[in-house]
């Protein structure tokens, strides 16, 4: 894997604190007040110019850099660093005047219009040229400006539109397929075109998966998803390479949206290898009463696509957003908990959308660091306080998060599983990933995410929430992991198809039959709302070297909904079996001893309590010690040169005591700690020991 060349914003010594700054929406008199208040809040960096293409280049080739010159000078004079954007997410009106064909087309054949943002066909040569031209101007003009710490390319590639079905994209798709398959014979075989008479005899006959009367070819759709990711990524790389060449030394990033609920179309494993510094945006799902779990999962995913290295939270919100159906305000203290949870999980700071609330435009009801209410407001006071807290945490920079276990995640497999005509609409990869992640959060385990073909041997436990598409290489990897002593926990409907959405030969789950020691004779989805019971299956007890033992006997009754299977064990032992439902009496949760390790299989869509129980059993099997902490206390550890940092975030309404792993100093209060870290309700504490 390529490592980032410049892992952090140039010349930024403290943690990054600030937000998107759009001074072009305000008269210049306001700018002086902005920088004064930024200093008051402890702001260290702001993101500028993200949506400013039309202001910087009001007509093709005519540039107006004066305002940006003055702005960058002003920031520099106040010691605030700039994350300077290439404005390529919103081409100006004049661009579309000449190139209406660069507006993206939907699957149904409808062309989008100018008037919002992100209306881009990523295969458009005209867009690529215009984007390169403005990027080149910025790189030449500001590549040595002392305020510039980071390049922010584009904005959130992948949303709101990533795929395009226009003729230019169709031609690009054919070129991409030509490189992938070489010959039509290969393509026909990979796409299974013998089915429904889809055989292709000329490249020109191949189209993107446009609107079809009924289910389209799944292999074609899956390749289109891959193609879209590559086409968008190529545009990032083009700008990045220009910036590297013309403005060397300044790291290049772009803001990801790793939360599975926020961007579905980008394969961030691929993106993580291309940026100098991984950066992410995260927005709470406001109505989720435990939204801190979605946040933690996104942060863990982001760190994982950064290869475990530090990353940067480039956007989140101080309060409500404006684009959800009900935009709930954050509760007192929630802002700091959110920010510090990202920092705990590897972010080197906390940035927001945006600095000053907009008076006009689509986002005028979005919260900001400086809200419409002004400085006499709770949000502003919390912003100032957070600036101080981040200041006190500067020494954690470069420290690395210590994970207990790994969870596999693969965007390609998710794309494949989401296609139409699956055995049940109620079984969804994202839902399973979030459900198993929640169980691990509740068990106070810190997990890294890993690609199914990644090196796993250093993890005692690997959880596979959903891996419908499993390549031969991934199957070998998992088998080796178990044989060498790992504990693998696989959830239902994994190991089913290969990279072309073709079922692995023989009984399900073809790619994982051997490692799991079983076969699935038939899927047995349930009716909507139906649930089944699972009962202890009389498994065995594993003696430990020290005379203790691990109980593997299924303990009590579990429940599952939506999905069950007819499982036949071939070497695995049954730990829980179905008490009722279509597979009554059959194995439900199994464990297979293979080589020096064990592979667990969960053939049902377990509910929350069932997930907790099975995860606990597999964790014990993997030798992980149980953490006894209050349910709503989040505990994460970063390890660095100056020490170990134990972050404890109390999301609950009662004060909590967290056992300290050693004596040390609490960084936010300066208090010395001997054996217990006291964490008041709603607050965060960071122990250095
Ligand atoms: C982000 C976007 C920002 C702003 C924000 C509002 O997705 O990058 O520009 O729109 O959402 O929550
Ligand atoms: Zn297109």
């Amino acid at each position: 894997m390529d490592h980032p060349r410049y892992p952090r914003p140039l010349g930024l010594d403290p943690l990054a604190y600030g937000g998107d700054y759009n001074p072009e929406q305000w008269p210049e008199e306001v700018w002086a007040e902005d920088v004064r208040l930024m200093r008051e809040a402890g702001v260290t960096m702001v993101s500028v110019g993200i949506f400013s293409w039309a202001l910087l280049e009001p007509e093709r080739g005519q540039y107006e850099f004066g305002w940006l010159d003055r702005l960058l000078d002003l920031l520099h004079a106040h010691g605030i660093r700039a994350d300077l954007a290439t404005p390529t997410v919103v081409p100006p009106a004049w661009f579309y005047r000449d190139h209406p064909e660069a507006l993206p087309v939907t699957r149904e054949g409808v062309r989008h219009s100018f008037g919002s943002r992100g209306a881009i066909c990523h295969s458009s040569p005209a867009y690529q040229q215009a984007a390169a031209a403005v990027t080149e101007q910025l790189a030449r003009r500001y590549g040595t400006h002392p305020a510039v710490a980071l390049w922010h390319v584009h904005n959130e590639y992948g949303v709101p539109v990533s795929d395009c079905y226009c003729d230019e994209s169709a031609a690009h798709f054919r070129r991409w397929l030509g490189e992938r398959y070489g010959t039509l014979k290969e393509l026909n075989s990979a796409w299974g075109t013998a089915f429904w008479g889809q055989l292709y005899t000329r490249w020109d006959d191949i189209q993107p998966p446009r609107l079809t009367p009924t289910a389209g070819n799944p292999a074609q759709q899956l390749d289109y998803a891959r193609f879209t990711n590559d086409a968008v990524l190529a545009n990032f790389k083009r700008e990045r390479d220009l910036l590297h060449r013309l403005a060397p030394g300044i790291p290049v990033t772009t803001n990801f949206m790793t939360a599975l609920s926020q961007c579905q179309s980008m394969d961030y494993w691929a993106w993580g290898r291309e940026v100098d510094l991984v950066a992410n945006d995260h927005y709470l799902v406001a109505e989720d009463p435990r939204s801190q779990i979605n946040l933690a999962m996104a942060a863990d995913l982001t760190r994982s696509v950064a290869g475990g290295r530090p990353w940067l939270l480039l956007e989140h919100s101080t309060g409500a957003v404006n684009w959800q159906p009900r935009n709930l305000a954050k509760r007192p203290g929630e802002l700091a908990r959110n920010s510090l949870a990202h920092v705990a999980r590897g972010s080197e700071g906390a940035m927001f959308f945006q600095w000053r609330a907009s008076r006009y435009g689509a986002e005028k009801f979005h919260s900001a660091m400086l809200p419409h209410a002004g400085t006499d407001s709770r949000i502003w006071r919390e912003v100032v306080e957070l600036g101080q807290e981040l200041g006190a945490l500067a020494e954690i920079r470069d420290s690395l998060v210590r994970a207990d276990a790994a969870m596999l995640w693969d965007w390609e497999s998710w794309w494949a599983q989401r296609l139409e005509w699956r055995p049940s609409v109620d079984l969804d990869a994202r839902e399973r990933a979030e459900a198993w992640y929640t169980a691990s959060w509740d068990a106070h385990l810190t997990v890294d995410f890993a690609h199914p073909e990644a090196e796993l041997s250093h993890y005692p436990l690997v959880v596979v929430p959903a891996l419908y598409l499993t390549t031969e290489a991934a199957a070998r990897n998992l088998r080796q992991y178990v044989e060498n002593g790992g504990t693998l926990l696989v959830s239902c409907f994994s190991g089913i198809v290969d990279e072309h959405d073709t079922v692995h030969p023989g009984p399900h789950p073809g790619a994982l039959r051997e490692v799991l020691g079983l076969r699935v004779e038939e899927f047995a989805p349930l009716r909507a709302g139906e649930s089944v019971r699972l009962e202890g299956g009389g498994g065995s007890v594993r003696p430990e070297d020290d005379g203790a033992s691990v109980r593997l006997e299924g303990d009590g009754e579990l429940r599952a909904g939506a999905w069950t299977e007819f499982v036949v064990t071939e070497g695995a032992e049954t730990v829980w079996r179905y008490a009722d439902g279509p597979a009554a009496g059959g194995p439900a949760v199994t464990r297979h001893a293979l080589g020096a390790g064990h592979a667990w299989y969960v053939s049902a869509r377990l509910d929350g309590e069932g997930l907790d129980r099975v995860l606990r059993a597999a964790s014990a099997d993997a030798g992980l010690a149980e953490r006894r902490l209050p349910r709503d206390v989040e505990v994460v550890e970063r390890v660095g040169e100056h020490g170990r940092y134990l972050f404890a975030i109390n999301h609950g309404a009662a004060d909590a005591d967290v056992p300290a792993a050693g004596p040390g100093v609490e960084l936010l209060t300066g208090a010395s700690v001997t054996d217990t870290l006291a964490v008041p309700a709603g607050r965060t504490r960071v122990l250095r020991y």
Side-chain angles (χ1 to χ4, degrees):
M1 191 191 275
D2 260 356
H3 292 296
R5 280 143 287 215
Y6 322 99
R8 76 155 70 114
L10 187 68
L12 183 71
D13 293 324
L15 296 178
Y17 186 48
D20 282 23
Y21 180 34
N22 298 308
E24 61 273 30
Q25 296 172 15
W26 298 89
E28 287 197 27
E29 305 86 86
V30 177
W31 301 8
E33 186 191 38
D34 283 330
V35 288
R36 181 175 61 73
L37 290 175
M38 284 177 190
R39 302 270 318 189
E40 190 178 316
V43 164
T44 59
M45 182 165 82
V46 289
S47 304
V48 294
I50 299 174
F51 303 105
S52 306
W53 191 346
L55 302 176
L56 294 168
E57 190 181 0
E59 280 293 339
R60 183 184 296 278
Q62 288 173 25
Y63 297 99
E64 282 183 13
F65 288 119
W67 68 271
L68 189 53
D69 292 353
R70 291 194 294 285
L71 177 72
L72 291 175
D73 291 349
L74 181 70
L75 291 172
H76 181 59
H78 288 80
I80 297 162
R81 309 212 39 85
D83 167 33
L84 178 58
T86 67
T88 53
V89 69
V90 189
W94 58 254
F95 169 77
Y96 294 111
R97 183 199 304 148
D98 299 340
H99 294 288
E101 82 286 357
L103 288 161
V105 173
T106 66
R107 187 166 178 258
E108 295 78 16
V110 180
R111 202 177 277 282
H112 286 275
S113 303
F114 178 75
S116 173
R117 66 174 179 185
I120 294 161
C121 163
H122 282 279
S123 298
S124 160
Y127 167 73
Q128 291 162 3
Q129 282 156 18
V134 69
T135 298
E136 181 171 338
Q137 291 290 325
L138 286 163
R140 289 191 192 282
R141 192 168 185 96
Y142 300 114
T144 54
H145 193 288
V148 180
L150 187 63
W151 287 112
H152 179 299
V153 173
H154 198 94
N155 191 63
E156 291 179 346
Y157 279 107
V159 291
V161 184
S162 51
D163 43 352
C164 176
Y165 299 80
C166 78
D167 291 341
E168 188 69 56
S169 295
H172 190 190
F173 183 42
R174 288 189 283 271
R175 293 196 296 279
W176 183 91
L177 290 169
E179 275 168 34
R180 184 173 172 87
Y181 294 111
T183 63
L184 278 176
K185 184 161 179 271
E186 277 297 312
L187 177 134
N188 278 311
S189 135
W191 281 15
T193 54
F195 181 83
W196 280 358
Q198 307 275 300
L199 192 77
Y200 291 103
T201 50
R202 283 179 62 168
W203 286 98
D204 285 350
D205 293 336
I206 303 173
Q207 301 296 335
R210 290 174 172 147
L211 188 63
T212 48
T214 183
N217 182 327
Q220 176 190 11
Q221 295 184 69
L222 181 55
D223 269 347
Y224 207 67
R226 293 181 174 118
F227 157 76
T228 296
N229 179 68
D230 286 358
V232 177
L233 184 53
N235 283 347
F236 166 76
K237 290 200 236 174
R238 187 173 302 105
E239 290 192 33
R240 176 203 61 194
D241 292 348
L242 262 174
L243 295 167
H244 278 170
R245 184 158 57 76
L246 300 174
I250 301 171
V252 179
T253 192
T254 182
N255 42 352
F256 298 171
M257 286 204 109
T258 59
L260 304 181
S261 48
Q262 280 158 21
C263 178
Q264 317 201 338
S265 56
M266 297 293 103
D267 176 356
Y268 288 119
W269 292 124
W271 284 78
R273 293 192 286 270
E274 302 297 341
V275 294
D276 297 330
L277 168 70
V278 165
N280 197 49
D281 295 351
H282 182 265
Y283 290 95
L284 298 182
V285 180
E287 287 192 69
D288 175 356
R290 303 187 78 205
S291 57
Q292 63 267 23
I293 300 179
N294 179 284
L295 183 159
M297 181 171 168
D300 286 346
L301 249 174
T302 308
R303 179 185 68 255
S304 302
V305 301
R309 286 175 297 274
W311 54 279
L312 181 59
L313 176 70
L314 217 43
E315 283 181 33
H316 67 319
S317 69
T318 59
V321 299
N322 64 303
W323 43 265
Q324 294 183 14
R326 283 163 217 88
N327 298 291
L328 273 56
K330 288 194 182 179
R331 310 295 300 153
E334 195 174 357
L335 157 60
R337 285 199 303 280
N338 291 166
S339 292
L340 296 173
H342 284 290
V343 172
R345 293 176 187 274
S347 175
E348 302 270 86
M351 310 266 296
F352 295 89
F353 177 86
Q354 64 176 333
W355 163 251
R356 185 188 274 273
S358 301
R359 288 188 51 217
Y360 51 84
E363 299 190 305
K364 55 185 168 293
F365 298 122
H366 197 290
S367 60
M369 297 175 84
L370 184 56
H372 291 299
T375 53
D376 188 10
S377 61
R378 177 173 65 83
I379 285 191
W380 175 255
R381 286 185 284 277
E382 291 195 16
V383 162
V384 172
E385 191 182 344
L386 177 60
Q388 287 159 1
E389 295 191 326
L390 290 173
L393 293 178
E395 65 171 81
I396 63 148
R397 265 198 359 187
D398 294 335
S399 58
L400 300 177
V401 173
R402 198 197 48 76
D404 301 298
M407 203 165 267
L408 299 193
W409 178 252
D410 182 19
W411 275 273
E412 291 198 8
S413 178
W414 184 29
W415 298 338
Q417 190 180 335
R418 273 187 336 191
L419 296 173
E420 63 270 81
W421 292 10
R422 299 318 187 197
S424 170
V425 295
D426 295 327
L427 191 64
D428 175 66
R430 173 179 131 197
E431 184 280 331
R432 281 295 81 187
E434 291 175 346
W436 282 100
Y437 184 86
T438 300
S440 73
W441 197 95
D442 282 334
H444 308 282
L445 296 175
T446 302
V447 302
D448 284 341
F449 285 89
H451 185 273
E453 294 174 20
E455 170 64 47
L456 299 168
S457 57
H458 49 294
Y459 296 108
L461 175 68
V462 173
V463 181
V464 185
L467 197 61
Y468 163 72
L469 183 160
T470 306
T471 61
E472 294 288 347
R476 270 197 307 278
N477 191 39
L478 295 183
R479 188 183 168 127
Q480 216 173 56
Y481 167 73
V482 175
E483 282 172 347
N484 293 338
T487 300
L488 181 71
L489 171 57
V490 178
S491 172
C492 51
F493 204 48
S494 295
I496 308 297
V497 298
D498 68 9
E499 61 269 40
H500 304 302
D501 200 47
T502 294
V503 172
H504 285 288
H508 301 309
L512 300 174
R513 254 183 347 246
E514 285 179 15
V515 69
L516 298 175
L518 52 79
R519 65 191 156 85
V520 172
E521 214 176 275
E522 212 178 322
F523 302 132
L526 303 181
R527 295 188 170 85
E530 187 182 353
S531 70
V532 298
R533 290 181 301 112
L534 280 56
E535 63 193 9
S540 56
V541 168
R542 190 185 81 194
E544 297 287 272
D545 297 343
D546 60 4
S549 61
V550 176
R551 256 173 74 91
L552 295 172
E553 196 176 314
D555 186 10
E557 197 178 277
L558 313 181
R559 297 197 80 84
W563 186 268
T564 64
E565 293 172 352
F566 295 102
V567 174
V568 180
T569 54
E570 290 180 343
E573 58 183 319
T574 300
V575 189
W576 273 275
R577 61 178 65 252
Y578 290 107
D580 55 20
V589 178
T590 60
R591 174 181 182 265
H592 183 220
L594 179 71
H598 295 94
W600 290 67
Y601 184 59
V602 178
S603 65
R605 200 189 80 171
L606 290 178
D607 70 6
E609 209 196 316
L611 294 165
D612 291 345
R613 297 263 281 281
V614 173
L615 183 66
R616 216 181 305 135
S619 299
D621 204 8
L624 287 169
E626 206 169 314
R627 291 212 174 96
R628 292 185 194 281
L629 291 166
R631 175 169 182 261
D632 289 319
V633 174
E634 178 175 359
V635 168
V636 186
E637 195 164 72
R638 286 180 69 154
V639 181
E641 248 178 59
H642 307 292
R644 305 170 79 88
Y645 303 94
L646 178 74
F647 282 74
I649 304 164
N650 187 352
H651 299 276
D655 297 350
D657 283 338
V658 171
V665 178
E666 200 290 309
L667 296 177
L668 300 179
T669 57
S672 43
V673 171
T674 45
D675 42 33
T676 305
L677 181 62
V679 193
R683 308 294 297 200
T684 301
R685 291 291 177 255
V686 184
L687 173 68
R688 180 191 58 217
Y689 70 99

